[in-house]
Amino acid sequence: MLFFLTSIQFLVLIYIILYEYRQGSVSIFLWSMNLIVIGVGGILAIVIEPKYSFYTYTKGYMFSILFMCIYILTRVILNTYSKKKLIKRIQENLIKGSEISINPIFKVLSFLSFVLFILYSLRMFGNIFDVTWSNYVYTRPELFSFEYFLSFFSQQFRFIAIPILFIYIYKKQKFQFFIYGIFLFLPFIFTRDRVQILPFFVIIILIFYVKNKKLTIGLIIKYFLLGIFILIFLYAFRIYRFYGSLNNFIDNFNYDIFYEQVFNLFKMNNGELGLIDAYYYFIEKDNIFLGFGKMSTYNRMLLFFIPTQFSFGIKHSDFAITMYSAYFNNYSNTVGSMHPTLIGDCYANAGELGIFLGIFWAFFVKIIDSICYRKNILFSIFLTITWGYNYIIIARGAVYNGYINGIYTSILISLVFYFLKLGKKIK
């Protein structure tokens, strides 16, 4: 019975991906990640030492299947009279040879992002080679301090400028890609923050998409192999994170030990494929936890423009921290966060009624596709890449983080294009 349900779940995920691919929607990144963390993760949950009851897994599969069916039904209805296909339009314009030039401002921003990161690291940690992932993530500068703005603008400049790498790859401008790739991705080596590498993977996948008009068996195999590589890379990078600082990694790296550690993560179903475990844990405990069932994630999404500390309690606290506290039974926790996949987040927010959040996400995808669908093709590319990697973050269960980063970066990109009137330079 469980294998039947998990197979149905997997097939529904495949159907949604194919549907969104044909629609040319940027949500292919959302559902491709869902295929990994929900589809594959859901299979491994019952294959590798099942931890929960038959009832829990059955309810978990039924919840996700119903959620996805409601989502795709709503999407089909919304797209009945719509002929706009975002990525297909980008593809057609690039194939036609539309002139796309990189404004120097993006090159400047990529360089500035790197410089600001160096300054921030030196002021906060003293030596960039001794920066660890934990002190980078959990050592927060005081709100609106000089270090706060260094960190904020370093990240935002990076996310604004990253899409230029798509143009350099597409035009096969290897030297420019190498130089600006260093500025944009070298901080990732020091911080070990995997979010910072996601745009690169989105760019590679998007290149495959726009350079191939038809979805062939060969292309599907390429996507599959690329997906395996990305998954292995993320696991390997998690082990790299365990070494602490870059200095410590250089001093203690051993290939055989490193390989064994990566393999053990897969064997223990720990990492991306194990995120769904928290979802099943919440079901096992009937979602009865402090702060659950209050739609906190969606409250925060609605009130994103208000800092939590200035909201007088109207804006809920970070629900990812609440879920971590529940999962680890540690209610003194103030910084640890749990990302139980998008499905897990929906269940934790609304219980069984969370299946109807499929309607919300169908409308959300429609709105984001409309936002990314610009007359200015370069503008469309920038916004598409922005939401591509943030959809991956959302699919992992870091819903508010992906949402807020997508909103802020989209606004800043829009301001750059508007004030510099970049649209006039695109034919």
Side-chain angles (χ1 to χ4, degrees):
M1 178 66 175
L2 291 181
F3 282 103
F4 173 74
L5 287 175
T6 192
S7 297
I8 295 298
Q9 176 180 261
F10 195 84
L11 290 174
V12 173
L13 281 162
I14 292 291
Y15 177 81
I16 293 176
I17 291 172
L18 292 175
Y19 176 83
E20 299 295 12
Y21 193 93
R22 290 194 298 270
Q23 290 296 315
S25 171
V26 68
S27 67
I28 57 170
F29 295 102
L30 173 71
W31 289 102
S32 294
M33 191 63 186
N34 277 332
L35 180 67
I36 294 173
V37 296
I38 297 172
V40 179
I43 293 172
L44 293 179
I46 59 173
V47 172
I48 303 177
E49 298 182 9
K51 296 168 57 177
Y52 306 107
S53 66
F54 175 84
Y55 169 80
T56 291
Y57 287 118
T58 301
K59 184 175 179 179
Y61 295 137
M62 290 301 299
F63 180 91
S64 61
I65 291 169
L66 289 172
F67 172 92
M68 292 185 290
C69 288
I70 290 172
Y71 168 87
I72 195 62
L73 178 61
T74 309
R75 284 286 288 147
V76 170
I77 294 172
L78 291 175
N79 288 330
T80 301
Y81 301 105
S82 175
K83 296 182 179 180
K84 293 182 178 181
K85 297 184 177 182
L86 170 63
I87 300 179
K88 295 290 185 182
R89 181 171 175 272
I90 293 173
Q91 179 187 60
E92 291 169 359
N93 277 270
L94 290 175
I95 291 174
K96 286 178 184 177
S98 297
E99 183 183 338
I100 298 181
S101 58
I102 300 295
N103 189 284
I105 186 63
F106 296 111
K107 302 175 184 180
V108 172
L109 289 177
S110 66
F111 176 70
L112 281 177
S113 71
F114 180 70
V115 172
L116 293 178
F117 167 76
I118 298 295
L119 290 175
Y120 171 76
S121 299
L122 292 176
R123 288 185 67 93
M124 291 293 292
F125 313 114
N127 184 347
I128 192 172
F129 290 95
D130 289 327
V131 175
T132 65
W133 174 79
S134 59
N135 62 31
Y136 176 77
V137 171
Y138 297 122
T139 305
R140 305 287 177 85
E142 184 179 345
L143 190 64
F144 303 135
S145 64
F146 179 65
E147 289 78 12
Y148 172 87
F149 286 110
L150 283 177
S151 175
F152 176 81
F153 285 111
S154 171
Q155 292 186 50
Q156 291 305 320
F157 287 169
R158 186 181 308 121
F159 288 133
I160 291 172
I162 276 175
I164 65 175
L165 299 181
F166 172 89
I167 306 301
Y168 289 140
I169 294 177
Y170 189 84
K171 291 186 172 184
K172 299 180 180 179
Q173 296 175 332
K174 298 178 182 178
F175 178 75
Q176 290 91 331
F177 173 80
F178 176 75
I179 294 299
Y180 293 102
I182 289 176
F183 292 149
L184 294 168
F185 288 117
L186 196 57
F188 163 72
I189 302 298
F190 295 103
T191 65
R192 297 154 198 81
D193 183 1
R194 292 179 295 175
V195 169
Q196 297 182 21
I197 200 65
L198 293 180
F200 179 73
F201 292 138
V202 168
I203 287 169
I204 297 299
I205 294 170
L206 197 58
I207 288 290
F208 275 111
Y209 195 161
V210 301
K211 286 200 170 185
N212 296 274
K213 287 187 176 181
K214 295 183 179 179
L215 185 63
T216 62
I217 297 297
L219 187 58
I220 291 174
I221 292 173
K222 288 180 181 178
Y223 282 134
F224 176 73
L225 293 175
L226 182 59
I228 292 177
F229 169 78
I230 292 172
L231 191 59
I232 293 173
F233 180 90
L234 292 175
Y235 272 76
F237 211 83
R238 190 175 182 197
I239 296 298
Y240 167 57
R241 179 189 291 176
F242 292 163
Y243 279 80
S245 67
L246 183 59
N247 274 335
N248 192 55
F249 177 77
I250 294 172
D251 292 338
N252 296 286
F253 176 76
N254 179 285
Y255 174 79
D256 292 330
I257 295 176
F258 189 84
Y259 170 81
E260 183 180 355
Q261 290 172 321
V262 174
F263 178 75
N264 285 337
L265 277 184
F266 276 99
K267 188 168 66 173
M268 293 185 298
N269 197 23
N270 195 345
E272 310 307 308
L273 297 177
L275 291 173
I276 201 167
D277 184 75
Y279 166 51
Y280 297 130
Y281 178 78
F282 298 154
I283 293 176
E284 182 87 355
K285 301 297 183 180
D286 290 325
N287 217 38
I288 302 175
F289 299 102
L290 183 66
F292 277 51
K294 296 182 178 180
M295 295 290 286
S296 296
T297 298
Y298 299 87
N299 165 276
R300 287 176 63 77
M301 290 170 71
L302 179 64
L303 302 176
F304 75 92
F305 53 90
I306 305 175
T308 305
Q309 58 268 45
F310 300 142
S311 69
F312 302 103
I314 297 175
K315 183 178 180 180
H316 293 184
S317 58
D318 190 346
F319 191 53
I321 294 177
T322 302
M323 289 189 287
Y324 180 99
S325 299
Y327 185 66
F328 291 103
N329 194 28
N330 175 15
Y331 288 93
S332 63
N333 165 61
T334 58
V335 292
S337 58
M338 168 56 66
H339 305 139
T341 76
L342 173 61
I343 291 292
D345 186 83
C346 288
Y347 181 79
N349 269 280
E352 288 84 355
L353 294 177
I355 59 172
F356 296 107
L357 286 172
I359 298 173
F360 168 86
W361 285 105
F363 274 92
F364 185 87
V365 165
K366 182 70 174 179
I367 292 169
I368 296 304
D369 281 351
S370 298
I371 289 173
C372 296
Y373 195 95
R374 304 288 95 189
K375 291 182 180 180
N376 181 336
I377 296 303
L378 185 61
F379 194 8
S380 278
I381 291 171
F382 271 59
L383 292 174
T384 297
I385 292 171
T386 294
W387 281 102
Y389 65 79
N390 282 298
Y391 268 146
I392 293 174
I393 296 171
I394 289 171
R396 292 184 75 256
V399 178
Y400 183 75
N401 289 351
Y403 168 78
I404 197 67
N405 188 58
I407 292 290
Y408 284 155
T409 306
S410 295
I411 291 173
L412 292 173
I413 288 174
S414 300
L415 291 174
V416 171
F417 273 82
Y418 176 78
F419 285 110
L420 296 180
K421 303 189 183 302
L422 299 184
K424 294 183 178 181
K425 298 184 180 182
I426 310 302
K427 296 182 180 180

